[in-house]
Structure formats: structure tokens, C-alpha cells
Amino acid sequence: MDTPYPALLDDLKANTHVLAFDIFGTVVDWHGSIVREVQALYPSVDANAFALAWRAGYQPAMARVRSGELGWTRIDELHRLILDDLLPRFGLAHLSEAERVHLNRVWHRLDAWPDSVAGLLRLKKKFTICSLSNGNLGLLTNMAKRAGLPWDCILSAEVFRAYKPDPATYLGVAQTFDVQPHQVMLCAAHHDDLEGARACGLRTAYIERPLEFGASQPKDVSPQAGNDLHVRDIHALADALGC
Amino acid sequence: MDTPYPALLDDLKANTHVLAFDIFGTVVDWHGSIVREVQALYPSVDANAFALAWRAGYQPAMARVRSGELGWTRIDELHRLILDDLLPRFGLAHLSEAERVHLNRVWHRLDAWPDSVAGLLRLKKKFTICSLSNGNLGLLTNMAKRAGLPWDCILSAEVFRAYKPDPATYLGVAQTFDVQPHQVMLCAAHHDDLEGARACGLRTAYIERPLEFGASQPKDVSPQAGNDLHVRDIHALADALGC
């Protein structure tokens, strides 16, 4: 990481109460997990293309909720809408309802990045750690239970009935814990998410996840202005925050 | 506990997915915890009477929200309204704003009953365990972090914007985890709460907490018809459910 000014680090250590984590890509490896499951279940499918196509449907699906075209719809349902569109394109139109339900739940079975559990356990000793994900509560609970993610509290767009980057989500974390926005730090691997949080007065930490989209599509993780911290992974975040 | 029919136990073990716990009185000892803090802070006050009076204001305060007289108001705020009314009656009208804020947060610092943490850890191996409390998310998170309550997910009236026994709370648990109501069991020390859950199709376990209101006011914990299980404490619940 770039070394921030010592005064900034002291301020962050003294005044941050809550670390809110983005989940998909930041704490768990959605691409690798979906590739592994699809390869095992349907070996003839291009699992990399399948995972990328499924994820590519995510923002447009949430946009339909944000615009009001769809009423409040949970990510489980949005993932299923995208999946049903996707299956014929990958020669899987024949999948039964039960097979579709099982495959859709792969999002509950995502594996954590190797540093996530140990890094979160370090941070949890000093801070309140929570999720702030567009994933629904049931999905996030099942994921945490399976992967051992030690959240103090699971927060989700579902609690606030709004998808990130709606300010209601970022400010909702501060309100939930009865602290000021600057006492909350959003930790995420996506600059647009961090930008939304910063606009609400939250602190921000960018976490590099160069392989979020797989080894064939490495992500540009060079620092961008505006974030309070830029770290390689969650261990490095714990180092920076003195845990 | 009364031994239920083996067939019922087999059914509960096979079909229950989620155990939702009431908190105040069921998992934590609000009376003893408040008595201890008040005795330490304000030795001249009758701490037993103070704790009972504070709690006695709880249902009437929630009734003002249910009736619409108050808009949605979190328990932290309701506890504070009751506290401000109460202080003059106990010779504490002189308390500063900071002292009132600190005392009001005693509800975040309640101690667990001696069996709670170990019993929940046993149940967690087999079931998804969550809170379903009228306490707000921040309160429940701070309490769980301090007392070591190992929830898979913290659910609260705050998530459903309705106080128990509103059906939206009980059915909300089933919806959150995408299961049928009969796959959720409410575990509580209060028959009215269990009755509300049963009316929504949930399974119910009554947990005896004879000293909920202190040693001077032992509670009648004799079995009542209708509950699927009647157990002495959370260890006995884990025994009954084969954990």
C-alpha cells in the first residue's frame, strides 16, 4: 500500500468505530467459486464465460429495481432472472427447476479470499465489522456460516430497501450503530461503491482484488485519489489500522 | 422438560432449519444486569424497583408505536423516553445528558444467562440461529459482541419495521431465509410471543427463566398447552434437538 500520512492513520484508528465490507469480489471470490461449481456440474460449458455473463447481468438487474420498473426484488430473485436468460445461451435450457434452484444458490456458497477470515478476525477485536452488500440477508447468512465469516452484524440492501450506491445504504450503517458517517469506513474492491460512500461522509478503504474477474481478465488496481486507504488485502487493512 | 412424543421430536429435528430467539429475558438477564449497574452507579436507589419500573414501561411504549401515535421508533429511543420519566421518581432527576446516555446503554450491556453462549454454540452446529427481538440492530450487535452470543444473523423488529407480536416479524424470519413458517422455531420465555409465532405457523419452544424478574418475583414457568417444546434452558433445548 501507499503509506498514508501518520496523522491520517492516527485519526482513522481513533475515530473509526465500524468497518462495513462490500462482499462480492471484496470478501469472497465469486468468479472462482462459480467457475469451480459450473465446471464440476456441467463440464462442457465455458465456465469462465458463464460466470462473467451471470455477473454482467447484475448491475442492469438492480437498475430495473432502482428505476422502479421492478418493485423491491432481492438479489436471489435477480440472480434467477439473469440465470434463466443465460441458460439457453450456454446449452443449458434443459435444466429442471430443481437444478436451476440449486445452481442459483451458488451465490450462497462462494468461497472467501484466502486472507478474509483471518483478516476479519483481527479487525473484529478492535472494530465492529459488518457486511454492507446488495446481497440479501439469507444469502449473506448462508455464505457467512459456510465460509466462517465472523461478522458482528450482517447488513444488506435488504435492510434499507435500497441498493448501493443509494445514500440510504451508507448512511443506514451509521444510523444503525448510532455513530457519525465519518466513524464508518466502507471497505470495498470497487471505486464506484467507495465513491458513493465518500459522498455520504464515510471513510473509505480500497482493497485490491486483481483476480476478481479471473486470471484471464486481471483488473487495474492502481490507486485512485480520494480513498483514505489503499491496501492489498484484509490482512494489510488490519496492519494499517493497528490490529 | 416434559418428554414430547418421539415422532414430534423426529419431525422437529428433520424439518426445523432456523431457530429464532427472543432476547430480553430469554437469552440475557435484563433484570440482574440492570440491578448490578444501578447498584454500582447509584447505591442509594432501589435497583430492583428501578429495573422493574423501566421494563414495565416497555410494552406501553411499543403500544404507542403500534397504534401510530408515534412513528417508527427504535427501542433505544423508547428506553430513553421511559428513563427520562423514571429518573425523578428515583431521586435521579439531576442526571446529566451524558449520564443518561450512558445509563440508557445498559441495555446494550446485558449479561447472558449462564447457559446461553454454550447452548447456542451447540445449536449453531445444526441450525441457523438468529435473534428475533424488538431490540434494535445496534443494541443487539453491541450486546452480542460483548456477551459472545454467536448469532448467524441478527434479526430485529427494526428490519421488519414492526414490533412483535406483529405477524410481519415472525413471517419475516421465514421469508428472510426462504423457508416455510413451520421450518422456523421461535424460542422464547414469554407465552404471548410464542402464541404470536404459533398463529403464523412457526414451531415454538418455551424456555423457563424463573428469575427473569429477580429472586423477589419468581415467574410461574409451568407448561402451557400449544408449545412444541418446553425446556429448562438452552442446553436442554440442544439436548431435545439432538445437538
Side-chain angles (χ1 to χ4, degrees):
Chain A
M1 64 177 283
D2 290 344
T3 305
Y5 294 110
L8 169 63
L9 276 183
D10 287 346
D11 178 43
L12 293 177
K13 289 179 196 172
N15 294 315
T16 306
H17 287 223
V18 179
L19 302 179
F21 284 82
D22 174 61
I23 300 299
F24 300 125
T26 299
V27 174
V28 298
D29 173 14
W30 60 265
H31 180 273
S33 305
I34 291 174
V35 164
R36 285 188 287 278
E37 279 224 17
V38 169
Q39 280 175 338
L41 287 168
Y42 309 108
S44 66
V45 169
D46 178 345
N48 172 56
F50 187 90
L52 293 174
W54 206 351
R55 182 66 174 175
Y58 183 69
Q59 287 297 341
M62 286 191 294
R64 293 175 63 193
V65 175
R66 286 193 205 101
S67 73
E69 181 198 333
L70 287 179
W72 177 255
T73 311
R74 295 191 293 196
I75 288 295
D76 273 345
E77 279 76 57
L78 295 180
H79 278 148
R80 177 61 192 269
L81 291 174
I82 306 164
L83 178 66
D84 285 342
D85 269 353
L86 210 63
L87 291 175
R89 291 163 44 194
F90 286 85
L92 294 172
H94 62 278
L95 260 58
S96 69
E97 175 62 20
E99 288 167 325
R100 289 167 192 240
V101 166
H102 177 75
L103 184 53
N104 200 49
R105 297 260 292 198
V106 68
W107 294 92
H108 298 217
R109 296 185 295 268
L110 303 180
D111 295 322
W113 294 110
D115 52 285
S116 293
V117 172
L120 290 172
L121 285 169
R122 289 174 63 193
L123 291 164
K124 182 175 175 154
K125 288 181 191 158
K126 188 164 166 186
F127 302 98
T128 293
I129 59 168
C130 68
S131 58
L132 180 64
S133 169
N134 285 335
N136 44 294
L137 289 169
L139 178 157
L140 294 169
T141 301
N142 291 339
M143 173 197 286
K145 199 169 173 69
R146 178 181 172 281
L149 302 171
W151 304 120
D152 289 312
C153 184
I154 293 179
L155 290 181
S156 153
E158 190 179 2
V159 172
F160 307 114
R161 294 254 160 177
Y163 282 122
K164 295 189 291 182
D166 191 310
T169 58
Y170 307 113
L171 295 174
V173 178
Q175 286 154 4
T176 295
F177 296 111
D178 207 12
V179 296
Q180 297 300 310
H182 74 269
Q183 295 176 301
V184 179
M185 178 180 275
L186 183 75
C187 311
H190 311 116
H191 288 293
D192 54 346
D193 196 3
L194 295 165
E195 196 175 301
R198 205 158 45 237
C200 293
L202 275 68
R203 299 298 203 159
T204 57
Y206 178 80
I207 300 178
E208 296 183 359
R209 294 299 187 193
L211 300 185
E212 175 177 0
F213 298 94
S216 66
Q217 275 195 38
K219 200 167 76 171
D220 175 10
V221 296
S222 51
Q224 291 194 10
N227 293 313
D228 296 294
L229 295 174
H230 177 111
V231 293
R232 191 171 164 276
D233 61 16
I234 299 180
H235 273 306
L237 181 62
D239 291 339
L241 292 172
C243 295
Chain B
M1 63 175 285
D2 292 344
T3 305
Y5 293 108
L8 168 62
L9 276 183
D10 287 347
D11 178 42
L12 292 177
K13 289 178 197 174
N15 294 315
T16 307
H17 286 225
V18 179
L19 302 178
F21 284 82
D22 173 61
I23 299 300
F24 300 126
T26 299
V27 174
V28 297
D29 174 14
W30 58 266
H31 179 275
S33 305
I34 291 174
V35 163
R36 285 188 287 278
E37 279 224 19
V38 170
Q39 279 176 339
L41 287 168
Y42 310 107
S44 66
V45 169
D46 178 344
N48 173 56
F50 188 90
L52 292 174
W54 205 352
R55 183 66 175 175
Y58 182 69
Q59 287 297 341
M62 285 190 295
R64 292 174 64 193
V65 175
R66 286 192 205 100
S67 73
E69 180 198 335
L70 287 179
W72 177 254
T73 312
R74 296 191 293 195
I75 289 293
D76 273 344
E77 279 75 57
L78 295 180
H79 278 149
R80 178 59 192 270
L81 291 174
I82 306 163
L83 179 65
D84 285 340
D85 269 353
L86 211 63
L87 291 175
R89 291 164 43 195
F90 286 85
L92 294 172
H94 62 280
L95 260 59
S96 69
E97 175 61 21
E99 287 168 325
R100 287 167 193 240
V101 167
H102 177 74
L103 183 53
N104 200 50
R105 297 259 294 198
V106 68
W107 295 93
H108 297 216
R109 297 185 295 269
L110 302 180
D111 295 322
W113 293 110
D115 52 284
S116 293
V117 172
L120 290 173
L121 285 169
R122 288 174 64 193
L123 291 164
K124 182 174 174 153
K125 289 180 190 160
K126 188 164 167 183
F127 302 98
T128 292
I129 59 168
C130 67
S131 58
L132 180 64
S133 169
N134 285 334
N136 42 295
L137 290 169
L139 179 158
L140 295 168
T141 302
N142 291 338
M143 174 197 285
K145 198 167 174 68
R146 179 181 171 281
L149 302 171
W151 305 120
D152 289 313
C153 183
I154 292 180
L155 290 180
S156 155
E158 190 179 2
V159 172
F160 307 114
R161 294 256 158 173
Y163 282 121
K164 292 189 293 181
D166 191 309
T169 59
Y170 307 113
L171 295 174
V173 178
Q175 287 154 3
T176 296
F177 296 111
D178 207 11
V179 297
Q180 297 299 309
H182 74 269
Q183 296 176 300
V184 180
M185 179 179 276
L186 184 74
C187 311
H190 310 116
H191 288 294
D192 55 346
D193 195 5
L194 295 164
E195 198 176 299
R198 203 157 47 238
C200 293
L202 276 68
R203 297 298 201 160
T204 57
Y206 178 80
I207 300 177
E208 297 183 358
R209 294 298 186 192
L211 300 185
E212 176 178 359
F213 298 94
S216 65
Q217 276 194 39
K219 200 167 75 170
D220 175 11
V221 295
S222 52
Q224 291 193 12
N227 293 314
D228 296 295
L229 294 175
H230 177 111
V231 293
R232 190 173 164 278
D233 61 16
I234 299 178
H235 272 307
L237 180 62
D239 291 341
L241 292 172
C243 295

